[in-house]
Amino acid sequence: MSESDALVAAARAARQHAVAPYSGFRVGAALETAAGIVFTGCNVENASYGLTICAERVAMFKALSEGHRTFTRIAVVADTDAPTPPCGACRQILWEFAGDIEVVLANLERITATHCMRDLLPYPFDGRLL
Ligand code: THU
């Protein structure tokens, strides 16, 4: 049992709610706050395609909108052998609001990779540059 197992289980459960009729690619995410509260998200697609939002950003925006500001880890789950890392837009958002958190990637059976945000988004643009 890894300490990320419960977070990964939450991401797998969230993936069940994915709204992905266009891509068929269902993703779940679970974001842990410093207080140990977990916010989940799934990808939500729509007919415009371009207004699709990824599971990671749904989880983060849910947490932020509930007043949470400090985070420790995020788990991302897809039904693939290869890990599904956060897209560029999600990396930007995760970096700005969560900083150098752990990113646990998993599929329906196992954890496939673990990274830290500073490696996923080297040389970031963020508020320190404004
Ligand atoms: N997607 C996510 O939700 N998270 C990722 O990390 C990668 C991609 C979604 C967006 C879209 O609904 C589908 O997966 C295919 O790109």
Side-chain angles (χ1 to χ4, degrees):
M1 276 272 286
S2 100
E3 67 166 341
S4 296
D5 282 353
L7 199 66
V8 169
R12 286 189 186 122
R15 181 181 165 277
Q16 300 291 333
H17 302 299
V19 182
Y22 303 103
S23 74
F25 194 77
R26 302 163 69 82
V27 184
L31 176 67
E32 182 185 65
T33 73
I37 301 167
V38 173
F39 287 88
T40 61
C42 61
N43 53 329
V44 181
E45 301 178 350
N46 65 92
S48 77
Y49 293 17
L51 292 178
T52 289
I53 184 165
C54 295
E56 297 94 319
R57 274 175 288 152
V58 170
M60 175 57 80
F61 294 152
K62 283 169 68 178
L64 292 170
S65 68
E66 298 290 326
H68 296 270
R69 294 291 184 271
T70 316
F71 305 96
T72 51
R73 291 182 296 161
I74 189 167
V76 183
V77 166
D79 184 12
T80 53
D81 285 333
T84 298
C87 77
C90 287
R91 293 180 198 206
Q92 181 70 28
I93 292 296
L94 290 171
W95 177 260
E96 170 140 5
F97 294 108
D100 189 27
I101 60 170
E102 187 179 29
V103 180
V104 180
L105 307 177
N107 60 26
L108 303 191
E109 283 89 38
R110 64 185 189 284
I111 291 173
T112 49
T114 303
H115 299 279
C116 58
M117 274 305 302
R118 70 175 181 277
D119 291 339
L120 295 182
L121 192 65
Y123 197 37
F125 172 76
D126 60 32
R128 293 175 298 191
L129 301 174
L130 295 175

